[in-house]
Amino acid sequence: MTQTPSIVDRIRSSADSGSNRIPFSVEFSPPRDEAAEARLWRAVRAFERMNPAFVSMTYGAGGSTRDRTVRVTGEIADQTTLLPVAHLTAVGHSIDELRAMCGAYADRGISNILVLRGDPPGDPLGDWVKHPDGVEYAEELVRLVRAMGDFHVGVASFPEGHYRAPDLEHDTKYLVQKLRAGAEYSITQMFFDVDDYLRLRDRVVAFDAEQGAKPIIPEIMPITSLRSARRSLELSGSRLPVALEERLVRAAGDGPEENRAAVREVGIEVATEMAERLISEGAPCLHFITLNFARATSEVLANLGLSTPAAATA
């Protein structure tokens, strides 16, 4: 496997450059058909001009997009200047299948993998059932991937606490265990209260200062539709702060269709405000959920002085 830069290396090199420009990264999803793939590639090319630190490619529940994830992530590695991070989930896979996935990524020169336990297919909030020949926890998957070769591994973290964790203390312990197993950084689940992120960071440092020194990268989703935002939150077990939800509901209006333009304006403003505070609080990088569109994230980056809206047409 050709060794590529790690995410931590990319973040550190940006900090050492003296530019005072916080690095950013973006998340893509595997396209479901040819039209969606064309849209994805428009976004990929738009972001390529903005020079993100890395880009990540998600992985469907139960491996439903496994082959497409590997193919598209490999094409991004082969055909662009972007540094891809591949998602890998434990749900629905045997250890042999997980090893085969790592081998497929390695064959494409991909050495950065984000390890997730994953959500059950069909009902992400349903009971999690271990594959009879698989692994039970993300910590085990971290060790498995690290044992496969020179992979750089990241994991998920949860500012509000994972919905399956009994409390925040247990959630912090589980994250630290993943970091101790060899994860080099974590990317948070999306959130809308920056204080939740700051409290997560403080909890990890208090639990284990050495692991707390590893980057916790905040994930931001610029809301462009109240309906789709609610659906995403429902699937993740996360929530909208009451004041923000009321603001978005007012923007959406009471017509038969929500006022997408007004909701979008609020969403861009809120994402910008969150990013500004995260920067002031020393976040190591900003990670944006794009839904395979470049425009909304580009506008937030422009507001932060990190890009120009004209750079994105998708």
Side-chain angles (χ1 to χ4, degrees), residues 172-230:
T172 305
K173 180 182 74 172
Y174 299 147
L175 172 56
V176 169
Q177 287 174 343
K178 292 187 289 188
L179 296 169
R180 288 174 176 169
E184 300 171 14
Y185 64 94
S186 72
I187 299 177
T188 73
Q189 185 180 61
M190 66 175 173
F191 60 93
F192 293 94
D193 185 342
V194 174
D195 285 335
D196 286 333
Y197 168 82
L198 300 176
R199 285 190 284 263
L200 166 65
R201 195 170 65 178
D202 290 345
R203 286 196 304 273
V204 177
V205 170
F207 196 98
D208 185 327
E210 180 181 358
Q211 303 307 321
K214 294 178 178 179
I216 299 178
I217 301 170
E219 183 175 69
I220 301 171
M221 185 178 79
I223 294 176
T224 57
S225 163
L226 179 56
R227 180 180 178 183
S228 63
R230 281 174 167 165

Side-chain angles (χ1 to χ4, degrees), residues 282-303:
C285 179
L286 302 175
H287 188 66
F288 291 92
I289 299 174
T290 70
L291 304 178
N292 294 356
F293 290 97
R295 185 180 164 202
T297 299
S298 171
E299 289 181 18
V300 175
L301 293 172
N303 291 342

Side-chain angles (χ1 to χ4, degrees), residues 5 24 99 116 136 140 147 165 194 226 228 234 254 282-283 289 311:
F24 76 93
R99 286 177 173 151
L116 309 159
E136 179 77 29
E140 299 172 79
V194 174
L226 179 56
S228 63
E234 179 185 343
D254 53 9
I289 299 174

Side-chain angles (χ1 to χ4, degrees), residues 207-290:
F207 196 98
D208 185 327
E210 180 181 358
Q211 303 307 321
K214 294 178 178 179
I216 299 178
I217 301 170
E219 183 175 69
I220 301 171
M221 185 178 79
I223 294 176
T224 57
S225 163
L226 179 56
R227 180 180 178 183
S228 63
R230 281 174 167 165
R231 179 59 176 162
S232 296
L233 289 160
E234 179 185 343
L235 294 174
S236 69
S238 189
R239 62 177 174 80
L240 276 176
V242 173
L244 174 56
E245 182 160 22
E246 291 174 348
R247 186 177 171 191
L248 289 165
V249 167
R250 287 195 300 271
D254 53 9
E257 298 291 335
E258 70 174 90
N259 185 336
R260 290 283 297 271
V263 168
R264 191 179 186 284
E265 183 177 351
V266 172
I268 299 297
E269 182 179 338
V270 168
T272 301
E273 292 168 352
M274 288 179 61
E276 288 173 339
R277 185 164 177 219
L278 288 163
I279 292 170
S280 72
E281 294 285 356
C285 179
L286 302 175
H287 188 66
F288 291 92
I289 299 174
T290 70

Side-chain angles (χ1 to χ4, degrees), residues 111-131:
S111 62
N112 288 285
I113 296 182
L114 187 71
V115 163
L116 309 159
R117 189 164 84 148
D119 297 322
D123 179 9
L125 303 183
D127 292 337
W128 200 95
V129 179
K130 173 183 175 291
H131 187 286

